[in-house]
Amino acid sequence: MTFDFTPEQDQLRDAVRALGRRYGHGYFVEKAKAGEHTTELWAEAGRLGYLGVNIPTEYGGGGGGITELAIVCEELAAAGCPLLLLVVSPAIAATVINRHGTEEQRKRHLPGLADGSQKIVFAITEPEAGSNFHRLGTVARRDGDDWLLNGRKCYISGVDEAGHVLVVARTEDSSTGKLKPALFLVPTDAAGLTRSKLDMEIVSPENQFLLYLDDVRVPADALVGESLDAGLPALFAGLNPERITVAAMGAGTGRYAIERASEYTATRKVWGGRSIGSHQGVSHPLAHAAVQVELARLMIQKAATLYDAGRDLEAGVAGNMAKYAAGEAAALAVDTAVQALGGAGMTTEYGVATLLGAVRAGRIAPVSREMILNFVAQHVLGQEKSY
């Protein structure tokens, strides 16, 4: 057992940290409040190869795994730039296409995902289904050689920035007559696909949308994989990378908040000549938050290592635990940082309250803490399924 990263992974961490700090949280917040996107940061990260670290070299990527992509997610977040589309495009879409797409789909999409010139977002959540993907109402039906898609999706990130959306739908199995999942690469400008922006109480340059699919026609090769049998494996292929990279982003955000608070409390003096950080009422909560973040980082490392080793079932358990731990730790760290800074913690200038909405959402999405506890109770503790 080792807790050491390779020299190449350490170099990647240092390089991404340097890039993130050149932009910083001020840039992130400025873009978000102006209703703009972090286009410059994304483009530079793509040019430097950071967006494609988990994509095979033959398609223009770095040939690494989710471990490397988690490093990118964490370090940008630790610099105050938690980019949600890193989770959606390189982690989910690129993994699904690489593992279960056709060779033509890999050649068409992976190079652009690797260099950042292309973004593909992910659409699974629906208003009536929630966490139960078995109740998905979006249906794809054959129409000659094409497919027609109908349904609704909600909380879909970054549709306004992407060229394609990876839509999870249900198709009829001709042998059984039952509906089973399938994934489709749908152009965001396809006829019949409309969107409505959701107003969110989160400071983020990435927007959330409702999607409406009304007889959206796509060709046969929009179906991910060689056949409908690829649907369920392709869907699950994206879930572990999603949880691991979301967790990494949460851990990085927690690190950022603790660093900001620690700098402040080490120098702020209001009672004689001692810093406020010398008082245990201030330092102990920060230390406790730091412990929780570090524990989450260890579970993230374990989950990513298992996933990259091809141990999907074990990675599923560890990935869920990592997501739970990081979600809780990030929310604790940001809240503790705000409290330690007092009134300054609520200002935009000090850059911690701007993350409150995001870390609170991290306890809900992409899978809620309650559903993770259900998963652990059932699959780890052997309890009867409760839902």
Side-chain angles (χ1 to χ4, degrees), residues 29-374:
V29 172
E30 181 182 353
K31 289 290 184 179
K33 292 194 171 184
E36 299 173 356
H37 304 305
T38 52
T39 306
E40 301 85 358
L41 174 55
W42 185 272
E44 188 167 356
R47 287 196 303 272
L48 294 171
Y50 304 150
L51 302 181
V53 289
N54 61 312
I55 294 174
T57 55
E58 58 264 40
Y59 304 109
I66 293 302
T67 297
E68 284 75 18
L69 187 59
I71 289 172
V72 174
C73 291
E74 181 183 349
E75 291 306 322
L76 286 179
C81 299
L83 300 185
L84 179 58
L85 286 192
L86 279 170
V87 174
V88 178
S89 196
I92 300 176
T95 299
V96 167
I97 293 169
N98 181 51
R99 291 187 62 171
H100 295 283
T102 64
E103 179 59 21
E104 174 57 31
Q105 288 167 345
R106 288 191 284 270
K107 289 179 178 178
R108 188 189 314 163
H109 296 291
L110 291 182
L113 292 174
D115 66 19
S117 61
Q118 182 176 173
K119 296 175 185 174
I120 299 178
V121 296
F122 184 59
I124 181 172
T125 307
E126 295 184 2
E128 304 303 323
S131 298
N132 185 2
F133 85 90
H134 295 288
R135 290 189 60 190
L136 292 181
T138 299
V139 175
R141 291 188 173 87
R142 281 284 194 184
D143 186 55
D145 291 334
D146 297 337
W147 291 94
L148 286 179
L149 277 67
N150 285 278
R152 292 187 300 162
K153 300 290 182 179
C154 61
Y155 304 116
I156 309 307
S157 308
V159 181
D160 55 336
E161 301 181 61
H164 289 79
V165 55
L166 188 60
V167 175
V168 182
R170 298 179 75 79
T171 62
E172 185 174 3
D173 187 335
S174 58
S175 61
T176 65
K178 296 181 179 180
L179 294 176
K180 63 180 185 179
L183 277 69
F184 295 87
L185 285 159
V186 180
T188 51
D189 61 355
L193 178 64
T194 57
R195 64 185 187 233
S196 175
K197 183 174 175 290
L198 288 163
D199 291 327
M200 307 292 291
E201 294 300 319
I202 299 174
V203 178
S204 173
E206 296 150 328
N207 297 317
Q208 302 291 314
F209 292 89
L210 290 167
L211 288 187
Y212 306 91
L213 298 100
D214 297 303
D215 281 340
V216 175
R217 182 179 296 274
V218 293
D221 63 2
L223 174 70
V224 173
E226 299 288 351
S227 72
L228 289 175
D229 292 335
L232 192 60
L235 173 59
F236 282 109
L239 298 185
N240 284 340
E242 176 188 50
R243 282 152 175 70
I244 294 167
T245 50
V246 163
M249 189 167 64
T253 302
R255 285 172 50 203
Y256 167 83
I258 292 168
E259 181 180 342
R260 293 288 290 167
S262 297
E263 290 172 351
Y264 181 87
T265 57
T267 56
R268 173 74 166 164
K269 297 178 181 179
V270 294
W271 302 108
R274 303 178 66 183
S275 68
I276 61 173
S278 68
H279 300 284
Q280 293 174 350
V282 175
S283 62
H284 279 192
L286 286 173
H288 173 64
V291 170
Q292 301 310 305
V293 169
E294 190 61 25
L295 290 173
R297 294 181 75 202
L298 288 173
M299 185 54 76
I300 294 163
Q301 186 177 347
K302 178 180 180 179
T305 299
L306 288 170
Y307 182 83
D308 290 337
R311 295 160 64 178
D312 287 352
L313 289 177
E314 295 166 277
V317 174
N320 273 296
M321 288 183 172
K323 194 273 172 187
Y324 180 96
E328 299 298 301
L332 174 66
V334 172
D335 185 68
T336 301
V338 170
Q339 190 69 22
L341 269 68
M346 295 303 297
T347 67
T348 302
E349 177 187 357
Y350 282 87
V352 284
T354 44
L355 294 166
L356 282 169
V359 295
R360 188 61 187 82
R363 299 175 74 207
I364 301 169
V367 56
S368 71
R369 62 191 300 276
E370 290 76 18
M371 287 304 297
I372 292 176
L373 293 176
N374 282 335

